Amino acid sequence: MALAATSGLAMAAQARINGQLGVELHDGLLAAVISFGGGLLVLLLALVVSAGMRTGVRRIAAAVRGGSLRPWQCLGGVGGAMFVAGQSVTVGVLGVSLFTVGVVAGQTMSGLAVDRAGLGPAGPQALSRPRVLGGLLTLVAVALSVAGGLDLPGGPDGLWLLVLPLVAGALVAVQQAVNGRVGQAAGSPLTAALLNFAVGTAVLVLAWLVSLAVRGGPTGFPDNPVLYLGGLVGIVFIALAALVVRWTGVLLLGLAAIAGQLVGSVLLDALLPAPGSHLTATTLVGTALALLAVGVAGAGGRRRTGPRLEQ
């Protein structure tokens, strides 16, 4: 659970980095390409020196050929691409708070369905009352923590901007499940991360090329080197998620990661506040409620599916 929460801390840091990079480039998709591409480059360098990662690649290929790993289960990077694109494209417009609301809503509800279907390596997880209650408490916690910032820019016309984080959140739950399968087959979470970044980078490059033809390229590149480290941060939470999802299941992993995101956001706002931002009492209360939600969901344990909602 601590590792899962750490992955959430990394997600909060990446959202801040990629959102700011997208704003300064005036090209959110290019910011996403830089983030994913940077992570892919690091993992390819690691592949050269890591015998374990190379063995993992061979195991994945053998698992696909043998049928124990289906080809579509190797496409978790599509969910990661949507998540990073959402950070880079919408955070600069919606703000981190509204983006988080959309992602959490999509991730929590999708996590229940993904666990029930057994897409993750932990197998089918019953929709026990503590797990469902934990998910609902998390939605309440996130809504409470951003209670002062739910006005969409541009009024109702800005509602469509919430579609991307909602879809991204739903796909993140699927990504965590299938990456866990890949990591289990490879025997290496870093190999799972490598495949995730390779698929995600390919998707984002294609999307950016279309965008380049339609609206042109960036207006300039920022000098701050920290803004180019989103991919390194992404490696941390992708590898951690692929490692721990086999023990926690997708929903509990998502809840712990959400708690980590909230705590990370509080720490970032306290230590490195963005211009005009400040901590509020509702944010702190919402963070505490999210941590409680993780405990409630964890109390439900890991149960195999049954024919009905279990006590």
Side-chain angles (χ1 to χ4, degrees):
M1 292 300 296
L3 290 174
T6 300
S7 74
L9 290 171
M11 292 170 76
Q14 189 194 49
R16 175 69 63 85
I17 292 171
N18 286 344
Q20 186 62 33
L21 179 60
V23 168
E24 297 198 20
L25 285 173
H26 298 283
D27 190 333
L29 281 176
L30 179 58
V33 169
I34 291 172
S35 177
F36 243 78
L40 177 61
L41 179 60
V42 171
L43 288 168
L44 287 174
L45 292 175
L47 181 66
V48 173
V49 300
S50 173
M53 287 183 66
R54 293 194 297 272
T55 299
V57 171
R58 291 192 292 269
R59 287 176 176 171
I60 290 173
V64 172
R65 288 194 302 268
S68 60
L69 188 67
R70 298 179 181 179
W72 66 266
Q73 292 175 320
C74 298
L75 301 179
V78 176
M82 284 291 294
F83 180 74
V84 173
Q87 290 176 337
S88 304
V89 173
T90 66
V91 165
V93 180
L94 294 177
V96 177
S97 297
L98 279 176
F99 176 77
T100 302
V101 167
V103 168
V104 168
Q107 184 179 353
T108 303
M109 295 299 101
S110 178
L112 286 168
V114 166
D115 269 349
R116 181 66 177 82
L119 297 185
Q125 303 291 303
L127 297 185
S128 63
R129 287 180 180 175
R131 292 169 68 83
V132 174
L133 179 59
L136 294 176
L137 278 175
T138 305
L139 294 180
V140 173
V142 175
L144 178 61
S145 68
V146 297
L150 291 176
D151 292 329
L152 285 168
D157 292 338
L159 280 172
W160 69 270
L161 289 172
L162 285 174
V163 173
L164 186 55
L166 279 168
V167 174
L171 290 178
V172 162
V174 179
Q175 175 198 27
Q176 290 169 338
V178 297
N179 281 353
R181 294 271 188 182
V182 172
Q184 187 177 56
S188 167
L190 284 179
T191 303
L194 172 63
L195 181 59
N196 179 90
F197 273 81
V199 172
T201 300
V203 170
L204 288 170
V205 167
L206 289 174
W208 179 68
L209 289 176
V210 172
S211 172
L212 185 64
V214 172
R215 57 184 294 274
T219 57
F221 290 85
D223 296 327
N224 186 352
V226 175
L227 298 182
Y228 299 96
L229 299 181
L232 290 176
V233 179
I235 291 174
V236 174
F237 72 75
I238 292 297
L240 283 176
L243 175 66
V244 304
V245 70
R246 70 187 70 175
W247 300 308
T248 63
V250 176
L251 176 64
L252 200 54
L253 168 64
L255 293 175
I258 289 165
Q261 281 180 275
L262 290 170
V263 171
S265 298
V266 168
L267 292 175
L268 284 171
D269 286 341
L271 301 176
L272 298 170
S277 68
H278 61 279
L279 283 174
T280 65
T282 55
T283 300
L284 296 175
V285 172
T287 301
L289 184 57
L291 295 174
L292 174 62
V294 173
V296 170
R302 286 174 48 189
R303 301 178 180 181
R304 298 296 177 184
T305 59
R308 62 183 178 84
L309 184 71
E310 295 183 2
Q311 296 292 325

